Amino acid sequence: MRVLVLNSGSSSQKSCVYEIGDALPENPPACVWEGKVEWVEGRVHYSIKNSRGDTVKDVAAVTSRGEAIRRLLDTLWGGKTKAISGPAAIEVVGHRVVHGGPRYFEPTMVTPEVKSEIEKVSAFAPLHNRAELEGMEIVAKVLGPVPQVAVFDTGFHHRMPLAAATYPGPYEWFEQGIRRYGFHGINHQYCAERAAQMLGKNLNSLRLITCHLGNGCSLAAIREGRSVDTTMGFTPLEGLMMGTRSGSVDPGVLTYLMRQRHFFDEKLDDVLNNKSGLLGISGISGDMREVLAATRNGDEPVKARAQLAFDMYVHRLRSGIGGMIAVLGGIDALVFTAGVGENSQEVRAAACENLGFAGVTLDRAKNAQSPMKGDTDISNADAAVRVLVIHAQEDWMIARACWSLLRKQSATA
Ligand code: ADP
């Protein structure tokens, strides 16, 4: 089965194609083609490669998401990176949908009703859900009536206990769908399964904490394969400090700012999502690499602000991990994943520094390997808790969900 995966972000569009046979492979296979479009300072950057190693890199004038996806898909069946014969060779299309709202959590066939529900909850995650709906419309135009599947980033957290999922506001909030949903669920679930596989243990016997540290950051506490707590909530803004997002701040700060009338709704949204976090504090960048470089090479006062940004990021991460250990009543493995989690030995070392009391100790040499060759256990050989670095595989999880759903449908047809 040939599966096209679309991952539509607010300022990027990632896409890849998997070929899956009659049985699911144990480990994620390589994509036969993958492409990425990024909107950077008024230009569109394309980066495409196929499994033969052919690549295309291009920069174009601003185009709509529709045009960008069309152009991207043209390189799948034409030109140097051609990997399939044409649009008809795609059997199913999977979409990462950030917010499933209260109704959708399992991977679901896209129907007009599903689309209208995704549209309804797009007020919860405006930057993401609208981009994903647009992706579905474009696929329908370019590929015709191919089955499309929505895979929800909130899905894995759906069965969080009510005590973790409910905000302590009026109970009516909960009844209106204002509750903690959690995000990055596709990757938290993948990391939990992969950790059990790496440790040779049954997932049901493990207490895991997965740290998804990318542009967005969240933790999940996982017991018996189920998410029992997570740091993101109603939107992907709650919890840890992130690249450009604030994470949790006292809601009193927001009501204060609103009372001052300095901030209208959209401006506040923009500040909290795009001008806060590492970028807001350091004044340099939301990219951890640049913040770390400034702590080493910057001149004062830039250096001090970069150091403060790093220290705050780590402080909140440690405090979040500590909270999750308490929720789980102990920990068997700690997982680092996504851009920062996979690549920053500084962040991993600092996050684990005070966790000796819980049985977490790192092997310095293993932590310092760069790049890491595949998923790696970086804990001390005699440590009570395993610390794992696991490469995020959201696209594979989406492809796998499409494969399973279509197989199930054809079995019951
Ligand atoms: P997304 O959340 O958009 O999927 P990624 O998981 O790709 O993002 O993470 C992107 C972030 O990873 C970058 O903004 C950067 O801060 C961080 N990153 C990537 N490589 C490194 C590195 N070598 N050291 C520190 N941070 C890194």
Side-chain angles (χ1 to χ4, degrees), residues 7 12 14 36 96 184 212-217 243 245 278 285-290 292 313 337-347 370 392 394:
N7 192 335
S12 72
K14 295 183 207 158
K36 186 172 182 187
R96 169 174 173 236
H184 294 141
H212 180 112
L213 308 176
N215 285 315
C217 301
R245 283 175 246 171
L278 289 175
S285 169
D287 189 317
M288 181 58 87
R289 285 166 290 200
E290 291 181 34
L292 279 167
Y313 184 98
T337 182
V340 178
E342 290 166 34
N343 295 299
S344 175
Q345 54 166 303
E346 294 91 342
V347 169
S370 176
E394 281 158 337

Side-chain angles (χ1 to χ4, degrees), residues 104-330:
Y104 290 106
F105 29 92
E106 296 289 348
T108 305
M109 279 293 172
V110 174
T111 61
E113 191 196 345
V114 171
K115 278 202 277 195
S116 100
E117 189 62 24
I118 295 172
E119 169 66 43
K120 232 190 261 169
V121 297
S122 64
F124 298 177
L127 296 179
H128 289 101
N129 274 30
R130 297 230 163 85
E132 289 140 15
L133 280 169
E134 216 183 327
M136 292 171 196
E137 302 293 339
I138 296 156
V139 163
K141 278 192 194 129
V142 177
L143 300 186
V146 63
Q148 299 196 51
V149 176
V151 183
F152 300 98
D153 230 7
T154 41
F156 181 54
H157 305 294
H158 166 65
R159 292 192 300 148
M160 253 188 333
L162 281 179
T166 312
Y167 284 113
Y171 187 72
E172 292 75 49
W173 282 8
F174 187 77
E175 292 174 318
Q176 289 162 22
I178 303 174
R179 50 161 288 177
R180 305 188 65 247
Y181 290 95
F183 298 87
H184 294 141
I186 299 169
N187 194 43
H188 283 302
Q189 181 176 8
Y190 170 76
C191 287
E193 291 174 12
R194 177 73 179 124
Q197 186 194 32
M198 286 172 75
L199 300 176
K201 296 250 169 77
N202 187 324
L203 182 52
N204 285 335
S205 71
L206 293 172
R207 292 163 304 178
L208 303 169
I209 297 171
T210 47
C211 312
H212 180 112
L213 308 176
N215 285 315
C217 301
S218 71
L219 305 179
I222 299 165
R223 185 191 292 127
E224 295 173 5
R226 259 178 72 175
S227 168
V228 293
D229 202 358
T230 189
T231 53
M232 283 179 169
F234 178 58
T235 72
L237 195 49
E238 192 181 339
L240 300 176
M241 177 170 168
M242 314 183 205
T244 63
R245 283 175 246 171
S246 60
S248 293
V249 293
D250 178 353
V253 172
L254 312 184
T255 51
Y256 167 78
L257 289 172
M258 284 159 82
R259 268 200 311 274
Q260 301 301 302
R261 296 182 176 273
H262 292 319
F263 285 92
F264 299 106
D265 293 354
E266 276 178 24
K267 203 168 160 198
L268 195 52
D269 237 2
D270 182 45
V271 168
L272 295 170
N273 279 294
N274 304 319
K275 300 194 169 85
S276 298
L278 289 175
L279 171 67
I281 297 299
S282 72
I284 300 168
S285 169
D287 189 317
M288 181 58 87
R289 285 166 290 200
E290 291 181 34
V291 173
L292 279 167
T295 64
R296 291 187 285 262
N297 313 320
D299 297 323
E300 298 297 354
V302 171
K303 189 174 176 171
R305 275 183 51 184
Q307 189 64 50
L308 175 62
F310 180 81
D311 292 346
M312 286 169 63
Y313 184 98
V314 168
H315 172 75
R316 290 186 163 222
L317 180 55
R318 280 184 191 154
S319 133
I321 294 172
M324 293 300 178
I325 294 177
V327 166
L328 290 171

Side-chain angles (χ1 to χ4, degrees), residues 46-86:
Y46 289 84
S47 161
I48 298 137
K49 64 177 179 196
N50 65 15
S51 52
R52 294 189 304 273
D54 304 312
T55 59
V56 168
K57 281 196 189 291
D58 197 8
V59 182
V62 181
T63 43
S64 65
R65 184 179 295 273
E67 265 176 68
I69 296 181
R70 247 177 245 268
R71 232 178 113 177
L72 188 64
L73 293 179
D74 279 344
T75 71
L76 170 59
W77 45 72
K80 196 173 149 195
T81 54
K82 175 176 173 169
I84 63 170
S85 55

Side-chain angles (χ1 to χ4, degrees), residues 347-365:
V347 169
R348 291 190 301 258
C352 294
E353 202 176 282
N354 290 354
L355 292 177
F357 76 92
V360 177
T361 48
L362 285 190
D363 179 314
R364 278 168 151 230

